[in-house]
Amino acid sequence: MLDVAGVDLTDPRYALGGSTAVLVEFPHSLIPPNAAAELFRLRMSGIVPVVAHPERYPGCTPAIVAEWRRAGAVMQMNVTAVVGGRRGKLATQLLSGGLIDLFASDTHCDPRSLMPARQWLLETAGATHADLLTRENANRLLTNKSLAPVPPFPVELGMFQRLRELVRGFRQVSAV
């Protein structure tokens, strides 16, 4: 949890699979104002910070995620953002903008949870994106290799998501 600046994450016990990558996250209530600087500091210490589920942080935007990536962080989206029906506007924007490097799951150690996300990627974006987000970049990360860029791809909203966005639009217009 990166809620305090200057935390030392160089202990090998924090590393993912013996790599230089370390999974980090921010408090769920507030992104610290120095988040990009902290990620850059970690990167300069030899650690590859992997930001868990950027799509969940209140106040997060594609611009903030792009800044974290420029600081040297890797973005890991939770598969429930795309397969659980709660994809959300930010998750869609991040994928459409090519700002997500890999998918993972909060089901911790249950590899079956990636299969629906991989299937969704195959149907939505194709094999290249599915491989990059669910296999190749994870393998690269764990073997201390540079991640392959994930090209942006348009994410179509499902019927219920489109209806939800339509209703929100009506609410915003009537509030004005």
Side-chain angles (χ1 to χ4, degrees), residues 154-169:
V155 178
E156 292 292 323
L157 296 176
M159 182 178 71
F160 291 110
Q161 184 69 21
R162 278 186 251 153
L163 181 59
R164 189 177 308 137
E165 292 298 321
L166 183 62
V167 169
R168 283 187 189 145

Side-chain angles (χ1 to χ4, degrees), residues 2-3 19 23 26 30 35 37-38 76 83-85 107 109 129-130 134 155 157:
L2 293 182
D3 54 353
S19 70
L23 189 66
F26 300 110
L30 176 68
E38 189 64 13
Q76 175 182 289
V83 299
T107 57
C109 300
H129 284 85
T134 63
V155 178
L157 296 176

Side-chain angles (χ1 to χ4, degrees), residues 30-116:
L30 176 68
I31 298 170
N34 64 335
E38 189 64 13
L39 293 168
F40 182 73
R41 182 192 66 76
L42 288 170
R43 189 67 185 104
M44 292 299 99
S45 74
I47 291 172
V48 177
V50 179
V51 177
H53 45 69
E55 73 280 0
R56 287 187 189 173
Y57 300 120
C60 192
T61 65
I64 289 171
V65 171
E67 182 181 14
W68 294 345
R69 292 180 85 226
R70 284 190 301 274
V74 169
M75 296 300 123
Q76 175 182 289
M77 182 175 280
N78 188 327
V79 296
T80 60
V82 294
V83 299
R86 298 177 358 186
R87 199 171 26 210
K89 186 176 180 181
L90 180 58
T92 300
Q93 291 171 336
L94 295 176
L95 287 168
S96 295
L99 296 170
I100 298 299
D101 298 299
L102 54 98
F103 277 9
S105 169
D106 269 353
T107 57
H108 304 274
C109 300
D110 185 351
R112 295 173 299 171
S113 60
L114 281 176
M115 292 312 295

